[in-house]
Amino acid sequence: MEEDIAPNYEIRRKNFQGTLPVQIRLDYSEIYIDKELPTYYIMQPRMSYFFLLIPQLIEFYSELLEGKGISNDEYWFSCRGEPLRFDLPIGVLYDTFIRENSSHDNLPFKICLHYHKFPTYSLQKGMSKYIFQQSLKESSMMRVGKATAVQDRLEHVRSMLNSIKEGKYDDFWRYNEEIGEHSLSQLKYFPVRIVINRHYHPYMLKEEKDSIKGNAFVIQRPVKVDATDICIGEYLAKTLSKYFFIQTEVIVDEDNIEEEKQNEVEVVERSIKGTEVIVNGLDIDLDTSLTWLIMNLSAQDNFLYITVRVPSESIE
Amino acid sequence: MDDEKCVIHLKSVGSAPIMKKDKVSLSKGKSIAALYKFVNKKLKSELEEGQKVLLQVSESFIPSQQTLLADLYDTFKNESNAIVISISIDEPGWG
């Protein structure tokens, strides 16, 4: 079994190396300025995080921002008027909000940098510096039941984050080996997060709906390592039954029609036509093995991020 | 599904004030943001101006604000079926 679910190192490297062009404008709506400010363009690894760009953006816009005494914690990003979560990798944010039907028409990924009116209703101020290490610790707790390997190597974690930002795969793994590489027999759970482009979670209370704002919701359901492998569709039907369900179809064997021999097969269906399932920029067939996806397409914090895009025109 | 509850065991670490009632039962549909509000309210009189409360699960990680207790409970409940959450001030107790 162990051989069947070993990672494919070539795919893992390619998964790490995916990039996205990003366009960033500064929101200077509260300052009078008599000229157009330049726009910042950069290629960014899909696995990286927007908050890592803040120091270089402050430098780029130094003419406007210098001497204003704005702390790095005041900065935040938005896309189409909505604050962007700091804790999701850039590629996951793009897949969730922008990507449409595998087209690349929406590139570059256009976002806006803000330095005032921090949206405390949807983001937690001052937390970005902790994000990667916390996510890594959370996944370690799921995988091996403890997070001491991360805890004891916070210097390594900072180097890992830098390697992600620079797109340096070999450097990343040099640091990650002691933290993230475990044999299958040591693992308890595989960390998996579903990111949905709706303000929805199966357990969310109505009162919470009003108090936690945001346009992406994470549903976190790890998968037991020793469980039988299932397809991603079955996993989604179990965790997100509002949008995916299992239907039993009867297939009639035409050669044996006289014997009325019938076979029943289970098929996963989408409740809303056009709902997309994406992992790191790839459209995923619902019958793809979940373990295969976890092994090969997980992000650098060891979570597999499954984006579920429900079409915006659908009414619920 | 709406009214399923879970037990949260709130442990103060370092200089964090101690919660008078350290075990609370909350709906699984509540978020970490709601738990922050709850703890901040309870500790309001003991916190100094500008002090920031940080919550960590199972003496290890800070969950995101939007995380629902349901997602933590199933994975991180301890032998007494409670989620252990540490309260620290300004700096996380466990890095």
Side-chain angles (χ1 to χ4, degrees), chain A residues 85 87 120-127 129-130 133-135 137-138 141-142 147 151 154 189 201-208 211-214 216-222, chain B residues 1-4 27-34 36-37 52-54 56-68 70-72 74-76 90-95:
Chain A
R85 285 177 68 144
D87 59 337
T120 43
Y121 57 87
S122 72
L123 303 173
Q124 204 172 0
K125 203 185 254 188
M127 296 307 281
K129 58 179 176 284
Y130 298 123
Q133 72 197 49
Q134 300 307 325
S135 200
K137 281 198 273 180
E138 185 167 3
M141 288 293 290
M142 291 176 179
Q151 198 82 54
L154 292 179
Y189 287 97
H201 186 294
Y203 275 92
M204 188 155 42
L205 295 176
K206 204 189 159 292
E207 64 200 70
E208 286 292 290
S211 68
I212 352 171
K213 299 273 192 301
F217 230 88
V218 174
I219 298 137
Q220 192 160 293
R221 279 297 124 92
Chain B
M1 210 180 258
D2 272 12
D3 230 16
E4 272 185 53
S27 165
K28 282 185 175 181
K30 289 255 182 209
S31 65
I32 286 293
Y36 268 102
K37 262 186 209 159
K52 200 170 81 180
V53 165
L54 288 171
Q56 270 175 302
V57 178
S58 303
E59 302 188 346
S60 66
F61 67 92
I62 305 173
S64 86
Q65 279 208 111
Q66 287 94 338
T67 308
L68 291 200
D71 282 357
L72 296 172
D74 293 339
T75 323
F76 300 113
D90 295 334
E91 289 293 326
W94 282 270

Side-chain angles (χ1 to χ4, degrees), chain A residues 40 72-74 79 130 135 172 268 297 300:
Chain A
Y40 193 76
N72 281 19
D73 289 342
E74 297 295 326
C79 173
Y130 298 123
S135 200
F172 175 84
V268 181
L297 300 184
Q300 273 17 81

Side-chain angles (χ1 to χ4, degrees), chain A residues 112-249:
Chain A
C112 191
L113 171 72
H114 305 262
Y115 58 87
H116 54 83
K117 293 185 184 159
F118 191 93
T120 43
Y121 57 87
S122 72
L123 303 173
Q124 204 172 0
K125 203 185 254 188
M127 296 307 281
S128 56
K129 58 179 176 284
Y130 298 123
I131 277 166
F132 185 66
Q133 72 197 49
Q134 300 307 325
S135 200
L136 212 51
K137 281 198 273 180
E138 185 167 3
S139 68
S140 288
M141 288 293 290
M142 291 176 179
R143 297 172 89 216
V144 290
K146 55 185 182 188
T148 41
V150 184
Q151 198 82 54
D152 298 344
R153 294 175 183 83
L154 292 179
E155 272 303 315
H156 277 25
V157 174
R158 279 186 274 279
S159 304
M160 282 159 71
L161 195 52
N162 200 40
S163 316
I164 293 172
K165 182 173 179 269
E166 304 291 327
K168 291 178 176 162
Y169 178 83
D170 295 321
D171 285 359
F172 175 84
W173 273 99
R174 193 157 51 240
Y175 296 113
N176 191 36
E177 205 152 15
E178 290 168 81
I179 294 177
E181 196 74 318
H182 297 284
S183 75
L184 207 56
S185 58
Q186 292 173 294
L187 300 183
K188 294 176 179 169
Y189 287 97
F190 293 128
V192 182
R193 284 176 175 161
I194 300 171
V195 185
I196 185 164
N197 66 338
R198 286 288 161 109
H199 197 52
Y200 174 77
H201 186 294
Y203 275 92
M204 188 155 42
L205 295 176
K206 204 189 159 292
E207 64 200 70
E208 286 292 290
K209 265 194 176 171
D210 304 328
S211 68
I212 352 171
K213 299 273 192 301
N215 49 358
F217 230 88
V218 174
I219 298 137
Q220 192 160 293
R221 279 297 124 92
V223 177
K224 262 205 155 96
V225 171
D226 55 6
T228 323
D229 186 26
I230 55 170
C231 64
I232 188 174
E234 207 180 323
Y235 173 80
L236 289 169
K238 274 185 191 162
T239 39
L240 211 56
S241 56
K242 184 175 176 180
Y243 295 104
F244 299 89
F245 62 95
I246 294 172
Q247 200 171 22
T248 308
E249 282 182 5

